Amino acid sequence: MTEFDPAPESEGSQRRWQEGTDTFGRVYDVILGITSPTTYTEIAELADCSSNAAKKHLDRLTEMGIVRADRDSRPPTYERNEGYLEWQDASRIADELTLEEIIDRVKALEEQRAEYESQFGTTDPADVSVFDYDNHETIHERMTAVSEWQGVIRDIRLYELARQLSQNDGHLIPA
């Protein structure tokens, strides 16, 4: 079954949608909430709509770049496009901060990344083994540090994208 993080449900009731949420909105909400490739019939069930309506809206979201479709699988599956979500986050950052603030944030994040690289003796958090210790507290501290390091790397990517968007009036120039 597909992983989905729905809003809390009331006692035994099915997920309830805000009044006025149309089918497209429900399909959009579901696709952003799933964490693995999912068939349109499963998405339809989660969005409380017909399979045909879900497929129509998923195809539209695919054309918009919000969704990725694997039409070679049987039945076809759909998943959110993480690149689109990153672009959306970067656009928000570019709108909210000045170019100077973005550049300052990137510098601070790069300093944090350098500290983690020095602490662990590698440039890749995936190279760090957190379970090489017998002490539970040390393992937990290392897991937390590696997780935060991965977040810093993601934030650098987002703020760099925001810098590019800001410098180019919202348009990316291919590298």
Side-chain angles (χ1 to χ4, degrees):
M1 185 69 184
T2 300
E3 293 179 42
F4 179 71
D5 186 17
E9 296 180 6
S10 59
E11 299 176 23
S13 69
Q14 294 188 5
R15 181 176 178 166
R16 296 177 195 251
W17 295 98
Q18 289 182 0
E19 221 169 293
T21 303
D22 64 5
T23 305
F24 180 84
R26 294 193 311 267
V27 170
Y28 179 82
D29 287 346
V30 168
I31 197 70
L32 292 183
I34 61 173
T35 58
S36 59
T38 306
T39 65
Y40 66 91
T41 55
E42 289 177 291
I43 292 169
E45 186 176 320
L46 292 167
D48 193 27
C49 67
S50 72
S51 295
N52 287 342
K55 185 163 182 353
K56 176 182 85 172
H57 294 309
L58 289 164
D59 288 343
R60 180 174 166 208
L61 289 165
T62 300
E63 289 173 15
M64 295 168 67
I66 298 169
V67 171
R68 288 188 194 176
D70 180 359
R71 293 186 177 96
D72 293 334
S73 64
R74 293 290 173 235
T77 58
Y78 298 83
E79 63 184 315
R80 64 185 179 209
N81 179 351
E82 296 296 335
Y84 169 79
L85 296 176
E86 281 193 3
W87 175 84
Q88 192 175 45
D89 287 345
S91 293
R92 181 188 45 77
I93 292 167
D95 287 342
E96 293 175 359
L97 301 178
T98 66
L99 181 58
E100 185 176 290
E101 290 171 322
I102 293 169
I103 291 170
D104 289 345
R105 182 68 179 137
V106 170
K107 286 179 186 174
L109 288 164
E110 287 175 342
E111 289 173 9
Q112 286 181 306
R113 179 179 61 191
E115 290 172 13
Y116 284 117
E117 290 172 354
S118 177
Q119 176 184 352
F120 291 107
T122 183
T123 59
D124 186 355
D127 293 340
V128 177
S129 175
V130 297
F131 298 108
D132 290 345
Y133 299 87
D134 292 331
N135 181 324
H136 177 74
E137 187 174 321
T138 302
I139 291 171
H140 178 72
E141 287 171 2
R142 288 176 64 88
M143 287 176 70
T144 300
V146 168
S147 177
E148 289 170 355
W149 184 10
Q150 290 168 330
V152 165
I153 291 169
R154 179 183 185 274
D155 286 351
I156 289 171
R157 194 172 53 248
L158 283 178
Y159 279 84
E160 274 296 322
L161 179 56
R163 181 189 57 76
Q164 291 175 16
L165 289 168
S166 185
Q167 285 179 321
N168 299 304
D169 298 326
H171 295 64
L172 287 177
I173 296 176

